[in-house]
Amino acid sequence: MPELSLDNPHDIGNPASRLPRWLQLAGLVAFLALIAAFFGWMLTEHWRRATFALGVAMVWLGVLRLTCDSRILGIFAVRSVKFDVAFCFAVGGLMAAAAASVDALGS
């Protein structure tokens, strides 16, 4: 029976990250902190802050995907590095820009 590999098949042959493992994990923790902030603001109905935090988290995930090993990122490494980075930068940038451009209307 062949061994089940959980490695991302799109990352076979990619060089290992030059960043130390602890720094890669610290970046992942920062991403998860942004996601926690998103949920906190969403639950307290601060939707502009929540949307901005989620957009920044997506851009940060793109940076992580560019600089970290897919074994560290786990389920956040979905496709090839190029696709993941382009998707995260595009969606995250648009979300953050949209949230920043909305007028506060005195709230």
Side-chain angles (χ1 to χ4, degrees), residues 3 7 9-10 17 21 23 37 45 55-57 59-60 64-65 67 69 77 89 92-93 95-97:
E3 183 179 328
D7 290 339
H10 300 285
S17 175
R21 181 178 169 86
L23 191 55
E45 298 181 8
V56 170
V59 171
W60 182 245
L64 290 177
R65 184 68 174 111
T67 59
D69 294 325
F89 282 176
M95 287 180 71

Side-chain angles (χ1 to χ4, degrees), residues 10-90:
H10 300 285
D11 288 347
I12 294 174
N14 286 358
S17 175
R18 290 185 269 164
L19 296 176
R21 181 178 169 86
W22 69 267
L23 191 55
Q24 294 179 51
L25 290 172
L28 187 59
V29 167
F31 168 74
L32 294 174
L34 281 168
I35 295 298
F38 158 73
F39 279 114
W41 281 320
M42 184 183 63
L43 291 173
T44 59
E45 298 181 8
H46 291 93
W47 63 270
R48 282 184 310 131
R49 292 178 190 166
T51 306
F52 186 78
L54 187 59
V56 170
M58 287 288 294
V59 171
W60 182 245
L61 182 60
V63 170
L64 290 177
R65 184 68 174 111
L66 197 57
T67 59
C68 295
D69 294 325
S70 62
R71 283 188 165 250
I72 298 291
L73 295 177
I75 63 170
F76 299 115
V78 180
R79 297 283 182 190
S80 68
V81 173
K82 289 179 185 177
F83 178 84
D84 286 348
V85 169
F87 180 80
C88 288
F89 282 176

